[in-house]
Amino acid sequence: AQSVTQPDIHITVSEGASLELRCNYSYGATPYLFWYVQSPGQGLQLLLKYFSGDTLVQGIKGFEAEFKRSQSSFNLRKPSVHWSDAAEYFCAVGGNYGQNFVFGPGTRLSVLP
Amino acid sequence: DAGVIQSPRHEVTEMGQEVTLRCKPISGHNSLFWYRQTMMRGLELLIYFNNNVPIDDSGMPEDRFSAKMPNASFSTLKIQPSEPRDSAVYFCASNRQGSDNEQFFGPGTRLTVL
């Protein structure tokens, strides 16, 4: 069965520092991979997605993610974190018709001034 | 575009009462998803529809939960009778099947069952 793991429940970084959030997935076919962000009390917003092609994908708000098939990973990165990036981040995997869509448990990001 | 619309935004009810959550997907989207988010279980897919037909309801926790999509612009998630453990945030999302598969989420309904 498909699954997504996010090993880090909570990460704290200083403003201006670099960030990497880890995501590993298990999926029986070619995965469609997503990163969503959820600010407190808000719905989920898509940061970026990967379907095929270049394994390094750029998203909104300066985020990027790299798909590594050999490691079944899709880690999210940002070179310099801003205080407004404090939120919950979810990695998700799904099939090409919306089936088997699974979210990871989320990583809560705190940003120190 | 108004995005996915959910109502109510907050619902407080007493155990045993019926609760109905509503969702209006983005116009032109033909798939609709209901999720439940709790601290303990994270984000769970309850059910999803394609072209108004339920495709996968394996995430619906029990018979007290039911979902309908009578037309392309409206869906309901009903809990009858409600229990305190149903307290959660319920999200509706929609997308256009066959496109790039991104799901657009509504703001959620925060349900509290006393």
Side-chain angles (χ1 to χ4, degrees):
Chain A
Q2 60 281 358
S3 65
V4 178
T5 57
Q6 294 179 247
D8 305 304
I9 296 174
H10 184 202
I11 285 182
T12 299
V13 299
S14 297
E15 190 169 19
S18 63
L19 171 71
E20 182 169 28
L21 303 182
R22 295 181 291 166
C23 170
N24 292 94
Y25 68 90
S26 173
Y27 197 78
T30 301
Y32 287 59
L33 296 159
F34 308 83
W35 275 99
Y36 284 84
V37 61
Q38 184 181 29
S39 298
Q42 303 296 314
L44 280 76
Q45 180 185 23
L46 182 72
L47 284 176
L48 48 77
K49 58 196 173 189
Y50 172 79
F51 299 139
S52 64
D54 192 345
T55 56
L56 183 65
V57 293
Q58 302 297 319
I60 62 171
K61 305 183 180 185
F63 285 91
E64 66 177 27
E66 185 171 14
F67 171 60
K68 294 186 177 180
R69 184 184 298 275
S70 62
Q71 299 178 17
S72 297
S73 69
F74 189 57
N75 294 347
L76 182 72
R77 300 195 293 251
K78 186 169 185 178
S80 178
V81 171
H82 188 262
W83 64 266
S84 61
D85 294 325
E88 187 102 19
Y89 291 81
F90 294 92
C91 181
V93 64
N96 59 351
Y97 288 104
Q99 74 276 25
N100 303 327
F101 204 88
V102 175
F103 279 89
T107 296
R108 184 161 63 92
L109 173 66
S110 297
V111 180
L112 299 175
Chain B
D1 199 318
V4 176
I5 299 172
Q6 291 186 249
S7 65
R9 292 295 307 276
H10 301 272
E11 176 81 27
V12 180
T13 190
E14 293 186 344
M15 182 175 62
Q17 296 299 305
E18 177 180 297
V19 174
T20 299
L21 310 181
R22 297 173 177 79
C23 175
K24 176 179 170 55
I26 292 173
S27 177
H29 285 187
N30 58 358
S31 291
L32 183 141
F33 307 79
W34 281 102
Y35 291 89
R36 177 173 66 177
Q37 186 177 39
T38 61
M39 289 292 293
M40 292 298 296
R41 301 176 66 88
L43 202 58
E44 305 172 276
L45 176 64
L46 300 178
I47 185 171
Y48 85 90
F49 295 84
N50 185 49
N51 293 326
N52 312 338
V53 176
I55 302 301
D56 183 359
D57 65 354
S58 59
M60 296 286 264
E62 48 196 277
D63 292 345
R64 297 185 298 106
F65 286 69
S66 63
K68 294 182 179 180
M69 192 164 185
N71 57 62
S73 59
F74 184 65
S75 176
T76 59
L77 178 67
K78 185 177 296 186
I79 308 173
Q80 166 62 20
S82 59
E83 296 182 4
R85 59 194 169 113
D86 301 330
S87 298
V89 180
Y90 291 82
F91 288 102
C92 177
S94 71
N95 73 356
R96 184 182 296 115
Q97 190 189 65
S99 68
D100 56 12
N101 213 34
E102 171 188 352
Q103 294 188 16
F104 294 80
F105 281 77
T109 295
R110 181 173 294 278
L111 173 65
T112 302
V113 183
L114 302 174

